[in-house]
Amino acid sequence: MGPFNDIGVETVGHVGLVEIRRPPNNFFDVALIKELASAFEAFDAEPDCRALVLAAQGKAFCAGANFGDGDGDGGALLSGPRPGAAHLYLEGNRLFRTRKPIVAAVHGAAVGGGLGLAMVADFRVTCAEARFCANFTRLGFHPGFGLTVTLPAVIGPTKAALMFYTSRRVPGDEAFAMGLADVLVPQDQVRVAALALATEIAENSPLGLVATRATLRGDLADRVRAATDHELAEQTKLRRTEDFKEGVKAMAERRVPDFSGR
């Protein structure tokens, strides 16, 4: 498998561990999503692998998408889109098409597209220090990475709307209480606990797991694909607005944005 530039891959018993290695923020781009998808697909083809853990190095789990091209408009802070965003969502859809259960080890911030990445997993293990944030409207923007499908499916439409409309940062213990995360442990135990859950899953029949997961997920990948087409169209429209420029500027300057509705 590999060679990979931005991820590490190892096997622990019947569990495949995939680690994002772009500390401290683990911003992603098309290249990173491609590597993750290739690793997931390679583990799909490994008969000995029965479950996956998605983890990350550094301070954040994933602080969002980096479409920065050095033009100084704060692009590195954004959750898309840039040239290549459509391609990014196509590569991202590969993550939803793999067959084995995934546990995300969310030890730090999962923001914007990084939250989208955490929601690819079947389960999330986290800690009180982690932050879950769909900060799109704070940027004068629209959610992406399939979150309009995946977030309501896990926490319900009202709680998802609350996260989208407020752009608030939800601490890990609150995320656990609302069902956004499934296991809450001290920060230094997040990865160990994620591996423990994946190992518990992997004790079960691999054919039974794959069949049951396929039934439960149904047409999720197709629904996410349709959602990202719509999300991208809305993002592309909003990207041309004055409010979007203000949202980006306010984030770069660490202040509350002053939106005008234009």
PDB file of all heavy atoms in Angstrom, residues 91-112:
ATOM      1  N   GLU A  91     -13.527  12.921  -5.101  1.00  0.00           N
ATOM      2  CA  GLU A  91     -12.590  12.065  -4.358  1.00  0.00           C
ATOM      3  C   GLU A  91     -13.160  11.745  -2.981  1.00  0.00           C
ATOM      4  O   GLU A  91     -13.049  10.614  -2.498  1.00  0.00           O
ATOM      5  CB  GLU A  91     -11.222  12.751  -4.210  1.00  0.00           C
ATOM      6  CG  GLU A  91     -10.483  12.982  -5.527  1.00  0.00           C
ATOM      7  CD  GLU A  91     -10.089  11.693  -6.230  1.00  0.00           C
ATOM      8  OE1 GLU A  91      -9.960  10.648  -5.571  1.00  0.00           O
ATOM      9  OE2 GLU A  91      -9.912  11.731  -7.462  1.00  0.00           O
ATOM     10  N   GLY A  92     -13.781  12.742  -2.345  1.00  0.00           N
ATOM     11  CA  GLY A  92     -14.380  12.544  -1.029  1.00  0.00           C
ATOM     12  C   GLY A  92     -15.464  11.487  -1.060  1.00  0.00           C
ATOM     13  O   GLY A  92     -15.635  10.725  -0.098  1.00  0.00           O
ATOM     14  N   ASN A  93     -16.196  11.405  -2.161  1.00  0.00           N
ATOM     15  CA  ASN A  93     -17.268  10.417  -2.259  1.00  0.00           C
ATOM     16  C   ASN A  93     -16.734   8.981  -2.221  1.00  0.00           C
ATOM     17  O   ASN A  93     -17.431   8.072  -1.788  1.00  0.00           O
ATOM     18  CB  ASN A  93     -18.113  10.650  -3.516  1.00  0.00           C
ATOM     19  CG  ASN A  93     -19.490  10.024  -3.396  1.00  0.00           C
ATOM     20  OD1 ASN A  93     -19.860   9.146  -4.153  1.00  0.00           O
ATOM     21  ND2 ASN A  93     -20.270  10.460  -2.412  1.00  0.00           N
ATOM     22  N   ARG A  94     -15.480   8.801  -2.642  1.00  0.00           N
ATOM     23  CA  ARG A  94     -14.866   7.465  -2.552  1.00  0.00           C
ATOM     24  C   ARG A  94     -14.826   6.981  -1.101  1.00  0.00           C
ATOM     25  O   ARG A  94     -14.948   5.782  -0.838  1.00  0.00           O
ATOM     26  CB  ARG A  94     -13.435   7.485  -3.118  1.00  0.00           C
ATOM     27  CG  ARG A  94     -13.348   7.665  -4.623  1.00  0.00           C
ATOM     28  CD  ARG A  94     -11.925   7.993  -5.061  1.00  0.00           C
ATOM     29  NE  ARG A  94     -10.970   6.930  -4.749  1.00  0.00           N
ATOM     30  CZ  ARG A  94      -9.638   7.099  -4.744  1.00  0.00           C
ATOM     31  NH1 ARG A  94      -9.112   8.289  -5.030  1.00  0.00           N
ATOM     32  NH2 ARG A  94      -8.836   6.101  -4.463  1.00  0.00           N
ATOM     33  N   LEU A  95     -14.665   7.920  -0.156  1.00  0.00           N
ATOM     34  CA  LEU A  95     -14.607   7.561   1.268  1.00  0.00           C
ATOM     35  C   LEU A  95     -15.923   6.953   1.740  1.00  0.00           C
ATOM     36  O   LEU A  95     -15.945   6.115   2.640  1.00  0.00           O
ATOM     37  CB  LEU A  95     -14.290   8.796   2.124  1.00  0.00           C
ATOM     38  CG  LEU A  95     -12.969   9.512   1.842  1.00  0.00           C
ATOM     39  CD1 LEU A  95     -12.890  10.802   2.651  1.00  0.00           C
ATOM     40  CD2 LEU A  95     -11.776   8.621   2.164  1.00  0.00           C
ATOM     41  N   PHE A  96     -17.034   7.391   1.134  1.00  0.00           N
ATOM     42  CA  PHE A  96     -18.347   6.892   1.522  1.00  0.00           C
ATOM     43  C   PHE A  96     -18.677   5.554   0.848  1.00  0.00           C
ATOM     44  O   PHE A  96     -19.665   4.920   1.181  1.00  0.00           O
ATOM     45  CB  PHE A  96     -19.436   7.916   1.161  1.00  0.00           C
ATOM     46  CG  PHE A  96     -19.440   9.125   2.056  1.00  0.00           C
ATOM     47  CD1 PHE A  96     -18.789  10.289   1.670  1.00  0.00           C
ATOM     48  CD2 PHE A  96     -20.090   9.098   3.276  1.00  0.00           C
ATOM     49  CE1 PHE A  96     -18.788  11.412   2.493  1.00  0.00           C
ATOM     50  CE2 PHE A  96     -20.089  10.215   4.104  1.00  0.00           C
ATOM     51  CZ  PHE A  96     -19.443  11.370   3.710  1.00  0.00           C
ATOM     52  N   ARG A  97     -17.869   5.161  -0.122  1.00  0.00           N
ATOM     53  CA  ARG A  97     -18.168   3.942  -0.872  1.00  0.00           C
ATOM     54  C   ARG A  97     -17.397   2.720  -0.385  1.00  0.00           C
ATOM     55  O   ARG A  97     -17.615   1.619  -0.873  1.00  0.00           O
ATOM     56  CB  ARG A  97     -17.916   4.174  -2.376  1.00  0.00           C
ATOM     57  CG  ARG A  97     -18.896   5.185  -2.940  1.00  0.00           C
ATOM     58  CD  ARG A  97     -18.952   5.293  -4.443  1.00  0.00           C
ATOM     59  NE  ARG A  97     -19.858   6.379  -4.801  1.00  0.00           N
ATOM     60  CZ  ARG A  97     -21.190   6.267  -4.899  1.00  0.00           C
ATOM     61  NH1 ARG A  97     -21.774   5.104  -4.671  1.00  0.00           N
ATOM     62  NH2 ARG A  97     -21.930   7.305  -5.210  1.00  0.00           N
ATOM     63  N   THR A  98     -16.480   2.897   0.568  1.00  0.00           N
ATOM     64  CA  THR A  98     -15.756   1.732   1.074  1.00  0.00           C
ATOM     65  C   THR A  98     -16.658   0.967   2.048  1.00  0.00           C
ATOM     66  O   THR A  98     -17.647   1.508   2.545  1.00  0.00           O
ATOM     67  CB  THR A  98     -14.415   2.128   1.716  1.00  0.00           C
ATOM     68  OG1 THR A  98     -14.637   3.070   2.750  1.00  0.00           O
ATOM     69  CG2 THR A  98     -13.484   2.730   0.667  1.00  0.00           C
ATOM     70  N   ARG A  99     -16.322  -0.307   2.325  1.00  0.00           N
ATOM     71  CA  ARG A  99     -17.300  -1.229   2.897  1.00  0.00           C
ATOM     72  C   ARG A  99     -17.120  -1.536   4.381  1.00  0.00           C
ATOM     73  O   ARG A  99     -18.010  -2.092   5.006  1.00  0.00           O
ATOM     74  CB  ARG A  99     -17.256  -2.556   2.122  1.00  0.00           C
ATOM     75  CG  ARG A  99     -17.547  -2.422   0.639  1.00  0.00           C
ATOM     76  CD  ARG A  99     -17.762  -3.773  -0.002  1.00  0.00           C
ATOM     77  NE  ARG A  99     -16.791  -4.766   0.476  1.00  0.00           N
ATOM     78  CZ  ARG A  99     -15.713  -5.151  -0.191  1.00  0.00           C
ATOM     79  NH1 ARG A  99     -15.464  -4.651  -1.365  1.00  0.00           N
ATOM     80  NH2 ARG A  99     -14.884  -6.047   0.311  1.00  0.00           N
ATOM     81  N   LYS A 100     -15.973  -1.210   4.958  1.00  0.00           N
ATOM     82  CA  LYS A 100     -15.707  -1.654   6.331  1.00  0.00           C
ATOM     83  C   LYS A 100     -15.968  -0.559   7.359  1.00  0.00           C
ATOM     84  O   LYS A 100     -15.799   0.625   7.065  1.00  0.00           O
ATOM     85  CB  LYS A 100     -14.272  -2.182   6.423  1.00  0.00           C
ATOM     86  CG  LYS A 100     -14.134  -3.468   5.595  1.00  0.00           C
ATOM     87  CD  LYS A 100     -12.737  -3.997   5.454  1.00  0.00           C
ATOM     88  CE  LYS A 100     -12.766  -5.235   4.547  1.00  0.00           C
ATOM     89  NZ  LYS A 100     -11.421  -5.774   4.277  1.00  0.00           N
ATOM     90  N   PRO A 101     -16.400  -0.944   8.568  1.00  0.00           N
ATOM     91  CA  PRO A 101     -16.704   0.061   9.602  1.00  0.00           C
ATOM     92  C   PRO A 101     -15.493   0.937   9.920  1.00  0.00           C
ATOM     93  O   PRO A 101     -14.358   0.452   9.966  1.00  0.00           O
ATOM     94  CB  PRO A 101     -17.087  -0.790  10.821  1.00  0.00           C
ATOM     95  CG  PRO A 101     -17.509  -2.109  10.262  1.00  0.00           C
ATOM     96  CD  PRO A 101     -16.668  -2.316   9.041  1.00  0.00           C
ATOM     97  N   ILE A 102     -15.765   2.230  10.157  1.00  0.00           N
ATOM     98  CA  ILE A 102     -14.709   3.219  10.418  1.00  0.00           C
ATOM     99  C   ILE A 102     -14.983   3.900  11.760  1.00  0.00           C
ATOM    100  O   ILE A 102     -16.106   4.346  12.022  1.00  0.00           O
ATOM    101  CB  ILE A 102     -14.677   4.293   9.308  1.00  0.00           C
ATOM    102  CG1 ILE A 102     -14.486   3.659   7.928  1.00  0.00           C
ATOM    103  CG2 ILE A 102     -13.568   5.321   9.580  1.00  0.00           C
ATOM    104  CD1 ILE A 102     -14.855   4.589   6.773  1.00  0.00           C
ATOM    105  N   VAL A 103     -13.945   3.990  12.592  1.00  0.00           N
ATOM    106  CA  VAL A 103     -14.020   4.728  13.851  1.00  0.00           C
ATOM    107  C   VAL A 103     -13.074   5.921  13.744  1.00  0.00           C
ATOM    108  O   VAL A 103     -11.891   5.748  13.454  1.00  0.00           O
ATOM    109  CB  VAL A 103     -13.589   3.843  15.048  1.00  0.00           C
ATOM    110  CG1 VAL A 103     -13.667   4.647  16.346  1.00  0.00           C
ATOM    111  CG2 VAL A 103     -14.450   2.582  15.137  1.00  0.00           C
ATOM    112  N   ALA A 104     -13.584   7.130  13.942  1.00  0.00           N
ATOM    113  CA  ALA A 104     -12.729   8.325  13.901  1.00  0.00           C
ATOM    114  C   ALA A 104     -12.258   8.656  15.316  1.00  0.00           C
ATOM    115  O   ALA A 104     -13.055   8.678  16.257  1.00  0.00           O
ATOM    116  CB  ALA A 104     -13.486   9.507  13.314  1.00  0.00           C
ATOM    117  N   ALA A 105     -10.964   8.892  15.473  1.00  0.00           N
ATOM    118  CA  ALA A 105     -10.372   9.306  16.749  1.00  0.00           C
ATOM    119  C   ALA A 105     -10.215  10.820  16.718  1.00  0.00           C
ATOM    120  O   ALA A 105      -9.237  11.350  16.192  1.00  0.00           O
ATOM    121  CB  ALA A 105      -9.021   8.622  16.944  1.00  0.00           C
ATOM    122  N   VAL A 106     -11.217  11.526  17.246  1.00  0.00           N
ATOM    123  CA  VAL A 106     -11.263  12.992  17.158  1.00  0.00           C
ATOM    124  C   VAL A 106     -10.712  13.588  18.455  1.00  0.00           C
ATOM    125  O   VAL A 106     -11.444  13.812  19.416  1.00  0.00           O
ATOM    126  CB  VAL A 106     -12.700  13.486  16.877  1.00  0.00           C
ATOM    127  CG1 VAL A 106     -12.710  15.000  16.672  1.00  0.00           C
ATOM    128  CG2 VAL A 106     -13.280  12.790  15.650  1.00  0.00           C
ATOM    129  N   HIS A 107      -9.401  13.833  18.473  1.00  0.00           N
ATOM    130  CA  HIS A 107      -8.721  14.283  19.700  1.00  0.00           C
ATOM    131  C   HIS A 107      -8.643  15.802  19.798  1.00  0.00           C
ATOM    132  O   HIS A 107      -8.252  16.354  20.826  1.00  0.00           O
ATOM    133  CB  HIS A 107      -7.303  13.719  19.736  1.00  0.00           C
ATOM    134  CG  HIS A 107      -6.407  14.347  18.717  1.00  0.00           C
ATOM    135  ND1 HIS A 107      -6.501  14.047  17.371  1.00  0.00           N
ATOM    136  CD2 HIS A 107      -5.439  15.298  18.826  1.00  0.00           C
ATOM    137  CE1 HIS A 107      -5.609  14.778  16.703  1.00  0.00           C
ATOM    138  NE2 HIS A 107      -4.962  15.549  17.573  1.00  0.00           N
ATOM    139  N   GLY A 108      -8.972  16.497  18.698  1.00  0.00           N
ATOM    140  CA  GLY A 108      -8.886  17.958  18.660  1.00  0.00           C
ATOM    141  C   GLY A 108      -9.975  18.505  17.763  1.00  0.00           C
ATOM    142  O   GLY A 108     -10.975  17.830  17.509  1.00  0.00           O
ATOM    143  N   ALA A 109      -9.779  19.712  17.251  1.00  0.00           N
ATOM    144  CA  ALA A 109     -10.816  20.375  16.468  1.00  0.00           C
ATOM    145  C   ALA A 109     -11.141  19.636  15.175  1.00  0.00           C
ATOM    146  O   ALA A 109     -10.248  19.192  14.456  1.00  0.00           O
ATOM    147  CB  ALA A 109     -10.366  21.800  16.151  1.00  0.00           C
ATOM    148  N   ALA A 110     -12.450  19.511  14.907  1.00  0.00           N
ATOM    149  CA  ALA A 110     -12.958  19.019  13.616  1.00  0.00           C
ATOM    150  C   ALA A 110     -13.846  20.138  13.078  1.00  0.00           C
ATOM    151  O   ALA A 110     -14.974  20.329  13.547  1.00  0.00           O
ATOM    152  CB  ALA A 110     -13.745  17.730  13.800  1.00  0.00           C
ATOM    153  N   VAL A 111     -13.304  20.911  12.142  1.00  0.00           N
ATOM    154  CA  VAL A 111     -13.931  22.169  11.731  1.00  0.00           C
ATOM    155  C   VAL A 111     -14.266  22.146  10.245  1.00  0.00           C
ATOM    156  O   VAL A 111     -13.441  21.738   9.419  1.00  0.00           O
ATOM    157  CB  VAL A 111     -12.979  23.356  12.009  1.00  0.00           C
ATOM    158  CG1 VAL A 111     -13.617  24.673  11.599  1.00  0.00           C
ATOM    159  CG2 VAL A 111     -12.586  23.397  13.480  1.00  0.00           C
ATOM    160  N   GLY A 112     -15.461  22.622   9.897  1.00  0.00           N
ATOM    161  CA  GLY A 112     -15.842  22.747   8.493  1.00  0.00           C
ATOM    162  C   GLY A 112     -15.742  21.419   7.773  1.00  0.00           C
ATOM    163  O   GLY A 112     -16.364  20.427   8.173  1.00  0.00           O
TER     164      GLY A 112
END
